[in-house]
């Protein structure tokens, strides 16, 4: 080979190395990049019993680095029984593939969440081949051992599928027996706040033995409400009681809280303008400062009408981040928008660019999320101990 050809070949090889490096960086962004941190703050729902490279959720994982997904059994907008859940084997394979895709760009595990409270709020149903569950209301009438038994069964099943977050237990105190979203669906353990805390702790303990994270909901308490925040504005000013904070205070002090989910309820005594999810008074001052909670705060579904019918997407995200929300949940199952993750991450980026949200504020949430994800990697299940 002549010297000129050798030089030409060396030049081409050099450019190929540079190009390969650029592609690798595009596929695996630095974990300290703002783009990656913003993506980790978003959790979305999606359609599909399986996923292909063209699936919207796959693009969200690969291009927007979203931190989590949530599974549903029924597609509400489509009024279809086909969503994400068909059988144990299918769910296991779906989750395995989603985690594989997430691992292409990050060593952090993907949050895979589900609402498996038990009873009427259970996405893994017997008709799909899963174990029978019972409601919190039923468990509240039984000895505490019953809660331990059913919670352990739920947690073991979640672990066997690869699900690592249960959006449960519901620690709303059943103060209004006519409540259309808590009492109606038997989601509360009791009208006694102390009993709610005891039974919730047993539920949490059994999940922790299996390495499953749990989520207290719906802060600062939805049990006294007269209406449903899924369908519209909910004002609890006249009915909310401070005793609804008691389960949170007790469990936080006991070190039993992995995540807290905020409610979209409005209380003029707590904030004269904004619902809880968007309120600094509720999230920063009440939950973090007063109750001394240091962990991850996740919003309830940002597409619920109590938020989406009152605020535009950018405004809702702005107030949620200013309030101190760490993860924004878009269930994508009240309205379906395959672009919701792209829109949400773009909104956050723009808020940072406009200096409405500081990079330091993003960093706060990112560090809490990382700490929680690292726990998933470091805490073995009881069966392995």
């Amino acid at each position: 080979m002549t010297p000129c050809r050798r030089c030409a070949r060396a030049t081409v090889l050099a450019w190929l190395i540079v190009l390969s490096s650029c592609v690798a960086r595009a596929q695996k962004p630095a974990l300290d990049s703002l783009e990656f941190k913003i993506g980790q703050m978003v959790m979305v729902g999606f359609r599909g019993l399986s996923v292909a490279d063209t699936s919207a959720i796959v693009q969200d994982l690969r291009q927007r680095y979203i931190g989590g997904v949530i599974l549903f059994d029924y597609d509400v907008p489509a009024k279809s029984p086909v969503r994400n859940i068909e059988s144990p084997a299918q769910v296991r394979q779906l989750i395995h593939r989603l985690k594989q895709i997430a691992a292409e760009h990050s060593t952090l595990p993907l949050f895979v969440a589900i609402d498996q409270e038990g009873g009427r709020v259970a996405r893994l149903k017997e008709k799909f081949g899963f174990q029978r569950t019972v409601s919190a209301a039923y468990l509240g009438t039984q000895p505490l051992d019953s809660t331990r038994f059913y919670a352990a069964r739920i947690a073991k099943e979640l672990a066997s599928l690869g699900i690592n977050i249960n959006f449960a237990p519901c620690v709303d105190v059943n103060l209004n027996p006519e409540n259309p979203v808590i009492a109606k669906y038997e989601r509360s353990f009791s009208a006694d706040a102390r009993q709610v805390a005891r039974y919730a702790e047993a539920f949490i303990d059994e999940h922790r033995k299996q390495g499953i994270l749990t989520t207290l909901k719906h802060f600062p308490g939805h049990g006294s409400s007269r209406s449903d925040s899924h369908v519209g504005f909910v004002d609890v000013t006249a009915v909310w009681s401070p005793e609804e904070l008691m389960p949170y205070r007790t469990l936080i002090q006991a070190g039993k809280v992995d995540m807290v989910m905020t409610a979209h309820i409005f209380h003029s005594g707590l904030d004269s303008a904004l619902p809880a999810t968007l309120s600094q008074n509720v999230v920063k001052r009440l939950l973090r400062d007063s109750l001394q909670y240091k962990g991850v705060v996740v919003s309830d579904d940002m597409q619920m009408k109590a938020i989406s019918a009152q605020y535009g997407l950018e405004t809702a995200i702005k107030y949620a981040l200013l309030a101190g929300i760490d993860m924004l949940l878009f269930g994508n199952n009240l309205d379906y928008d395959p672009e919701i993750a792209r829109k949400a991450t773009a909104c956050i980026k723009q808020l940072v660019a406009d200096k409405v949200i500081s990079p330091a504020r993003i960093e706060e949430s990112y560090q809490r999320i990382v700490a929680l994800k690292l726990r998933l990697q470091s805490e073995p299940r009881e069966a392995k101990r």
Side-chain angles (χ1 to χ4, degrees), residues 143-359:
L144 202 55
D145 280 348
S146 292
T147 294
R148 294 192 184 99
F149 171 81
Y150 280 103
R153 196 155 79 167
I154 288 172
K156 289 175 183 176
E157 192 160 59
L158 297 183
S160 74
L161 298 168
I163 294 169
N164 50 34
I165 294 180
N166 193 355
F167 281 148
C170 181
V171 295
D172 297 306
V173 183
N174 197 33
L175 298 183
N176 175 15
E178 303 300 319
N179 186 307
V181 69
I182 303 301
K184 178 181 177 180
Y185 293 96
E186 302 179 348
R187 302 173 72 186
S188 173
F189 289 110
S190 176
D192 180 342
R194 290 178 179 80
Q195 182 167 331
V196 170
R198 286 197 305 273
Y199 278 66
E201 183 171 2
F203 187 96
I204 291 165
D205 285 345
E206 295 306 319
H207 279 68
R208 285 192 168 183
K209 290 175 184 177
Q210 302 302 320
I212 307 296
L213 302 174
T214 54
T215 311
L216 304 190
K217 60 187 189 184
H218 307 81
F219 188 83
H222 214 314
S224 57
S225 72
R226 296 170 177 166
S227 50
D228 182 354
S229 52
H230 289 82
V231 298
F233 179 75
V234 176
D235 189 342
V236 300
T237 304
V239 295
W240 186 84
S241 168
E243 72 178 288
E244 297 183 60
L245 295 176
M246 186 270 179
Y248 294 95
R249 181 179 293 107
T250 300
L251 293 167
I252 289 168
Q253 290 176 351
K256 301 292 185 177
V257 186
D258 302 322
M259 303 176 78
V260 171
M261 177 181 284
T262 57
H264 298 329
I265 58 170
F266 173 81
H267 187 315
S268 63
L270 298 177
D271 193 305
S272 61
L274 295 168
T277 297
L278 310 185
S279 169
Q280 294 187 47
N281 286 341
V282 173
V283 180
K284 280 189 176 180
R285 297 184 180 91
L286 182 55
L287 179 57
R288 294 213 186 277
D289 295 343
S290 179
L291 298 186
Q292 290 293 294
Y293 177 63
K294 307 300 183 185
V296 170
V297 179
V298 60
S299 74
D300 206 343
D301 189 350
M302 296 292 287
Q303 291 166 308
M304 289 164 61
K305 298 305 180 185
I307 298 295
S308 64
Q310 305 292 323
Y311 306 91
L313 181 64
E314 182 175 350
T315 300
I317 289 175
K318 176 183 75 172
Y319 282 127
L321 296 185
L322 289 173
I325 298 294
D326 298 308
M327 291 200 78
L328 297 164
L329 173 62
F330 297 91
N332 236 1
N333 204 24
L334 295 171
D335 294 309
Y336 181 73
D337 181 358
E339 296 291 306
I340 192 61
R342 181 190 63 77
K343 292 175 181 178
T345 53
C347 280
I348 301 173
K349 290 175 190 176
Q350 192 60 51
L351 288 167
V352 174
D354 292 342
K355 302 186 186 306
V356 175
I357 302 296
S358 70

